[in-house]
Amino acid sequence: MGVDPGDYFAPVPTVIAVWQTISVAGMERSMVVDEAMGALDTASRASGAAEPAMTPDGTTDRRVDDHRCALELRGVTKVFGSTVALRNVSLKFGVGTVHGLVGENGSGKSTLVKLVTGLHGPDAGAITSPMRADRVPSRRVSVGSVFQDGTLIDELTLEENIRLIATRTEGGAHKISGILKALRSYGIPVAGRRPVADLSNSVRRVAEIIAVASLETDILLFDEATSVLDERQVAVFDEIVRLATRRGACVIIVSHRLREVLATCDDISVLRDGQVVWAGASDQVDEPKLVEAMAGHEVAAFTKASRDAAGDDSATALTARGLSLGDAAFDVTVRRGEIVGIGGPAGHGQGELLRTLGGERCHSGASMLSISDRVVGSVPEASRAGAVIVSSDRRRESLFQGLSIRENYGLSLVGRIARRWWIVRAVEEARVRAHTREHGLAFGSIEQPAESLSGGNQQKLAIGRALVRSPAVLLVEAPTEGVDVRSRLDIYRRLEEAADSGVAVAFTSTDASELASLADRVLVMVDRRVVAELSGDELNETNIVRAFASAMKESGGGAERDPARRVSDAAKAGGLADWVRARLLWSRGVHRSEFATVAFLAAFLVLVWIYGTAQHSSFLSSHNVDGVSLVAAPIIFGAFAEFVVIMVGEIDISIAGMMGLVLVVLSFVPGQSWPVLLVLALLMGVAMGVINGLIVIGSGANAVIITIAMLSVYEGIGLYLRPSPAGSIATGAVSIGEAAVANIVVWTLVAVAIAIVADVAIRRSKWGLKLRAVGFDRDRAQRLGVVSVRVRLGAFALSGAFAGWAGFLLAAQTGTGDATVGSSYLLIAIAVPVIGGASLLGGRGTMIGCVMAGVILASIESVVSFANLPNGYYLVAVGVLTLLALAISLTRRRSGRRREYGEVQARTPGEA
């Protein structure tokens, strides 16, 4: 009988929770067919009886028999706290069919998606697959999924993302070359080291759809996969769905685009308040009936008001002249009381244009931007002139997710609800409640955080916040992306009411029907320029599509729009640095900024040596080189320890305490050989790293706070064991610690070798890819099949091993058990990785950078000694270099965010 590993940790509830988390997370992100969990009625199945799908009148019209059932949910219930997300849901999904799931935001669709993909488990009921249970019970059902907000990690290349996607299913690694070939066939660029952030949202989504479909899983689940796609790309999606159903896959589509659902799906199920309220064949229902089923009552349709937006020049609220986003210059005007739509194929500069109209890119785009008769040249100036922009990125730009509904509105109302510097709470609450009613928000309390609202209500809140500022110009990016039908209609009415009150409104959309339904005038963009302007009787869906299709046909889809060619040309233009980076074993796969950091550190190190030599001619003598490398060795290994946890987005303050405790323990065994002491140090370090990781992951608390506490624990234990310096380190350890080759300490050379091997592994191995993925975006990495709990715990364990190694080297240099020696490395352990180019946000950095930074600090310490400078100069240098590295890292992050709007197009079928 086996022993449950969790029993060993029974006294510590937190550790048990982590162990259980790791055990559950260790299963692949595909659903396991568990006969016990299913509890199927074998007698009913043997007789061939199947649970009928519901129809509008409650009769049985269409059935999914067991022999053609790919997936079955029976009485599934999921509860989060006091909220019942799903209640007794029973559904069947057929083999070779397309099943649509529709419902308003908050109806339970996303929860159902996470249950099917294995991200959550049901609290009651069963999820089974008769298709596998009847055929090969031991096999797992493979599920391929595309989530609403995407899964690709921006900082990784497309090929690296594909490799992570392929790990979702058994045998997926063997399909990577086929996936890459499929992407190339659709014109998606996969070559080069460019991150997917350089691709537009729509191209990223198409790439993810193609990649997931190419895995040929049993079940394909698309959650709002078409929300950012235009008509051409939706046609590609439909083609992929047809190919999947032909090979027998079950395709489940979650979408708010009801016309697409009706056109694509064989069966449709409607969720409302966590329950299935309607299910049947798509040919039994139309769009108005689906809307009524979703809302629970009849919903009034939206009819565009008839407005005369022609006006004269005095009615113009916004003017941009000589605007140039690409090769050609053009003018844009928006009049008061007018709604202007900006459309065209996805990723052709619509978002870029909208942000330029808001003042964001004035310095590089418009020769003259005027808002409310004021010439503006920046976002603050545009804001003061009355322009307000609502980004499509609700999480990072449109809302303060952690603040309450009241506080989000309050920030826009602060000038009207405050007396001098004090906010009048009663006035604030009254105004906020009035605005929530006006904007149709559905919520429990105005004190609940914005992040707890459904997508549709978050978008209403974002637009509502903009409207309460009484803008002269309202600029909205993708106002209804990922929003349910009723919320979409509410948003349409809010925008129309704003226009009726005299606000100039401009919005972007990839949906031609939305543009035709809401806008008074539509600007069609192709290749980052306006190619058509439609208004009046000519403004309809057909003409919008025809306008951009004709423009793209005339452009011929030449090489200048071929993404693979553009990426290739950009690589060639990289210069000598990129040529060298591509050919060095260490730097293959290293990001350009990381390579540049190492090159800068090498140049800076040379400058330090030149300055040191100028101070004293013996600075580069063999004796001093040996001394510098001796000082650098424990610094570098301590930096390695911090670097590993930084890569997964954590910080461990306790590294110095771990080093000191290892030194103290080694002083109690002076008779052992140095290999035994090194192994003991490594084991101690791993144990302490695992303890840190278990507490951080299990508690969910900030790693900095936890490891500060653990620093005190380790230092306290060290002082308890050695209240004052005592004991001795084995002579063999001291000798090996000072051993040198060519006047360089052996352990520094070992550190260089470790750094090179580790940097190659971080960028070329599966483990390294997962490490970076978790560091860049933990949630998306989890969706990509990475068990982030394991990766993070592994990082803490490896960090502890390096800390133990550093403690061994420190012991060899100290020669006695001094518990206070490790404290001098508290700042250095964090500063060195940062100086070496590691991002505190995680996912980026090099271990060779740690080596370079460690040698630089050791050299600076030597320079301070040779120049007879006060010891404080060394600490000042460490602080200044750390601040400089942080400033450079922050600058890169900002430039990366700006780069997201420099969109790259991908040719898909129908472009030319």
Side-chain angles (χ1 to χ4, degrees):
M1 180 175 178
V3 178
D4 183 359
D7 292 341
Y8 291 113
F9 304 104
V12 189
T14 299
V15 180
I16 294 176
V18 176
W19 182 268
Q20 293 171 341
T21 303
I22 296 170
S23 300
V24 172
M27 301 171 65
E28 293 185 23
R29 289 307 173 208
S30 55
M31 186 182 60
V32 179
V33 180
D34 189 338
E35 295 178 352
M37 180 182 175
L40 299 176
D41 186 348
T42 54
S44 173
R45 292 180 59 186
S47 64
E51 182 180 282
M54 289 177 288
T55 59
D57 58 2
T59 62
T60 301
D61 180 76
R62 182 185 184 92
R63 301 193 311 176
V64 178
D65 298 321
D66 283 346
H67 73 277
R68 58 187 299 273
C69 180
L71 179 70
E72 180 177 13
L73 281 69
R74 282 200 170 187
V76 170
T77 297
K78 185 64 181 178
V79 180
F80 297 98
S82 60
T83 302
V84 181
L86 290 176
R87 187 193 305 274
N88 195 31
V89 172
S90 295
L91 285 172
K92 286 188 177 183
F93 304 90
V95 174
T97 64
V98 184
H99 196 114
L101 281 177
V102 299
E104 294 187 333
N105 293 115
S107 62
K109 302 188 305 300
S110 294
T111 301
L112 191 149
V113 166
K114 291 175 181 177
L115 288 172
V116 172
T117 55
L119 292 176
H120 291 325
D123 295 322
I127 304 176
T128 61
S129 177
M131 176 178 68
R132 288 295 183 205
D134 289 346
R135 299 178 188 175
V136 188
S138 62
R139 283 198 57 185
R140 297 176 176 180
V141 171
S142 54
V143 180
S145 53
V146 176
F147 291 90
Q148 176 177 353
D149 54 353
T151 304
L152 302 184
I153 298 175
D154 289 347
E155 294 84 355
L156 297 179
T157 66
L158 185 55
E159 183 173 350
E160 289 172 332
N161 274 283
I162 297 307
R163 293 185 183 280
L164 286 176
I165 289 175
T167 63
R168 292 183 186 176
T169 58
E170 186 176 350
H174 299 294
K175 299 179 180 178
I176 293 176
S177 59
I179 296 173
L180 298 177
K181 183 178 180 181
L183 290 171
R184 292 188 188 98
S185 70
Y186 281 96
I188 307 293
V190 294
R193 296 297 310 166
R194 286 176 174 256
V196 296
D198 283 354
L199 300 175
S200 65
N201 287 333
S202 58
V203 173
R204 277 181 272 181
R205 186 64 57 84
V206 171
E208 188 174 357
I209 290 170
I210 294 170
V212 170
S214 299
L215 291 174
E216 298 186 347
T217 54
D218 300 314
I219 297 169
L220 273 174
L221 201 157
F222 298 107
D223 184 8
E224 293 292 341
T226 63
S227 60
V228 297
L229 306 186
D230 59 30
E231 282 77 5
R232 301 171 306 120
Q233 295 162 333
V234 170
V236 174
F237 174 76
D238 291 341
E239 176 186 341
I240 291 170
V241 168
R242 285 195 300 272
L243 291 173
T245 54
R246 277 183 208 157
R247 65 172 175 80
C250 168
V251 180
I252 304 172
I253 295 177
V254 179
S255 179
H256 292 305
R257 294 185 173 185
L258 298 186
R259 285 198 305 170
E260 292 178 10
V261 171
L262 289 167
T264 306
C265 298
D266 304 305
D267 304 291
I268 299 174
S269 298
V270 180
L271 290 176
R272 186 173 72 239
D273 297 329
Q275 294 178 293
V276 179
V277 296
W278 190 93
S282 59
D283 56 11
Q284 295 176 339
V285 70
D286 56 17
E287 190 170 344
K289 288 183 179 179
L290 280 179
V291 174
E292 184 176 346
M294 291 164 59
H297 56 80
E298 187 174 352
V299 178
F302 173 78
T303 304
K304 181 169 64 176
S306 176
R307 281 187 298 273
D308 181 12
D312 54 27
D313 290 340
S314 63
T316 300
L318 181 149
T319 302
R321 301 194 184 280
L323 190 64
S324 178
L325 303 178
D327 298 332
F330 54 91
D331 298 340
V332 173
T333 61
V334 185
R335 301 180 181 91
R336 296 184 179 91
E338 179 187 31
I339 300 179
V340 174
I342 304 172
H348 276 245
Q350 295 91 336
E352 215 175 336
L353 171 59
L354 195 79
R355 289 172 178 271
T356 303
L357 297 180
E360 185 166 308
R361 301 172 62 90
C362 291
H363 60 282
S364 60
S367 59
M368 193 279 287
L369 177 64
S370 171
I371 298 175
S372 300
D373 299 325
R374 292 171 57 181
V375 176
V376 301
S378 65
V379 173
E381 290 180 8
S383 179
R384 287 192 292 269
V388 178
I389 185 168
V390 180
S391 168
S392 61
D393 190 344
R394 292 189 289 260
R395 290 189 304 168
R396 292 186 292 186
E397 294 184 342
S398 293
L399 296 173
F400 297 92
Q401 292 286 332
L403 297 184
S404 66
I405 296 172
R406 172 182 58 80
E407 290 166 324
N408 269 279
Y409 269 116
L411 287 170
S412 295
L413 291 166
V414 66
R416 309 175 201 174
I417 58 177
R419 293 175 181 171
R420 294 187 179 178
W421 55 272
W422 189 260
I423 294 177
V424 183
R425 185 64 173 269
V427 175
E428 179 189 31
E429 290 186 356
R431 282 185 174 270
V432 169
R433 293 185 189 281
H435 287 305
T436 55
R437 288 192 298 270
E438 178 186 355
H439 300 142
L441 259 69
F443 58 93
S445 166
I446 60 173
E447 299 303 328
Q448 72 184 83
E451 62 189 358
S452 67
L453 296 174
S454 66
N457 282 299
Q458 285 193 30
Q459 188 69 345
K460 290 180 186 178
L461 175 59
I463 294 175
R465 286 187 65 238
L467 288 173
V468 298
R469 294 173 60 180
S470 301
V473 177
L474 178 63
L475 307 168
V476 188
E477 189 177 15
T480 62
E481 183 179 306
V483 170
D484 63 60
V485 177
R486 186 161 56 156
S487 296
R488 182 182 297 123
L489 298 178
D490 287 341
I491 290 171
Y492 288 170
R493 294 187 182 99
R494 297 291 83 75
L495 295 180
E496 186 164 78
E497 289 169 3
D500 289 342
S501 67
V503 177
V505 179
F507 72 97
T508 66
S509 178
T510 58
D511 189 340
S513 62
E514 179 172 85
L515 291 163
S517 300
L518 180 61
D520 302 311
R521 184 160 53 95
V522 170
L523 306 179
V524 179
M525 293 191 70
V526 171
D527 254 2
R528 305 169 81 197
R529 59 190 176 89
V530 176
V531 297
E533 181 175 325
L534 304 173
S535 60
D537 294 338
E538 63 180 358
L539 177 53
N540 55 59
E541 186 176 351
T542 301
N543 287 342
I544 293 172
V545 175
R546 182 181 295 142
F548 78 71
S550 299
M552 296 196 70
K553 186 175 181 179
E554 290 174 4
S555 69
E560 69 276 12
R561 273 169 292 282
D562 184 339
R565 174 72 172 273
R566 289 174 63 175
V567 171
S568 175
D569 292 343
K572 291 177 182 177
L576 178 61
D578 279 350
W579 184 89
V580 173
R581 184 166 59 95
R583 283 158 178 79
L584 288 177
L585 175 63
W586 162 77
S587 60
R588 289 177 189 172
V590 172
H591 191 270
R592 179 182 298 179
S593 64
E594 296 168 334
F595 184 83
T597 298
V598 173
F600 170 78
L601 290 174
F604 187 81
L605 178 60
V606 171
L607 291 177
V608 171
W609 287 347
I610 291 174
Y611 178 78
T613 304
Q615 295 299 311
H616 201 289
S617 59
S618 62
F619 180 81
L620 289 179
S621 66
S622 59
H623 176 74
N624 194 55
V625 168
D626 179 85
V628 168
S629 62
L630 184 66
V631 172
I635 293 177
I636 293 170
F637 277 91
F640 284 173
E642 192 66 61
F643 173 85
V644 176
V645 291
I646 286 178
M647 283 294 287
V648 293
E650 308 283 9
I651 295 180
D652 192 339
I653 306 295
S654 68
I655 299 296
M658 295 162 69
M659 292 169 60
L661 182 55
V662 167
L663 183 156
V664 168
V665 171
L666 295 186
S667 72
F668 283 95
V669 285
Q672 296 295 332
S673 63
W674 75 264
V676 172
L677 294 182
L678 178 57
V679 171
L680 176 59
L682 293 174
L683 292 176
M684 283 186 60
V686 170
M688 289 186 284
V690 169
I691 290 171
N692 288 356
L694 287 172
I695 297 175
V696 169
I697 298 169
S699 66
N702 187 289
V704 173
I705 303 300
I706 297 296
T707 53
I708 286 176
M710 295 309 298
L711 171 67
S712 297
V713 170
Y714 298 140
E715 288 185 340
I717 295 174
L719 287 170
Y720 174 78
L721 295 175
R722 294 289 190 197
S724 60
S728 62
I729 306 300
T731 305
V734 174
S735 299
I736 195 66
E738 297 176 350
V741 175
N743 298 316
I744 299 177
V745 170
V746 169
W747 297 109
T748 302
L749 296 175
V750 170
V752 173
I754 290 174
I756 293 173
V757 172
D759 281 339
V760 172
I762 286 172
R763 280 145 191 91
R764 305 292 289 275
S765 70
K766 184 185 296 185
W767 171 83
L769 182 56
K770 291 181 178 180
L771 187 78
R772 288 186 293 134
V774 171
F776 283 133
D777 196 318
R778 191 179 304 163
D779 292 336
R780 291 195 173 189
Q782 189 82 11
R783 293 181 182 181
L784 284 168
V786 178
V787 186
S788 65
V789 172
R790 282 184 177 176
V791 174
R792 293 167 67 200
L793 187 59
F796 274 102
L798 183 57
S799 168
F802 279 124
W805 203 330
F808 168 80
L809 297 177
L810 195 59
Q813 293 181 17
T814 305
T816 188
D818 188 349
T820 63
V821 172
S823 60
S824 61
Y825 291 85
L826 178 61
L827 170 64
I828 294 174
I830 301 173
V832 171
V834 173
I835 295 171
S839 169
L840 291 178
L841 299 175
R844 182 156 291 162
T846 62
M847 291 186 76
I848 201 69
C850 293
V851 173
M852 300 294 295
V855 174
I856 285 173
L857 293 190
S859 299
I860 290 175
E861 185 175 358
S862 181
V863 167
V864 169
S865 176
F866 270 87
N868 294 319
L869 298 173
N871 290 333
Y873 275 48
Y874 171 69
L875 294 177
V876 170
V878 173
V880 170
L881 287 174
T882 305
L883 290 174
L884 179 61
L886 287 171
I888 294 172
S889 176
L890 187 60
T891 301
R892 286 175 183 156
R893 182 186 177 194
R894 288 172 177 167
S895 65
R897 288 288 300 145
R898 288 195 295 268
R899 187 183 61 234
E900 290 183 15
Y901 303 101
E903 299 164 322
V904 177
Q905 280 59 259
R907 289 191 299 114
T908 51
E911 179 177 356

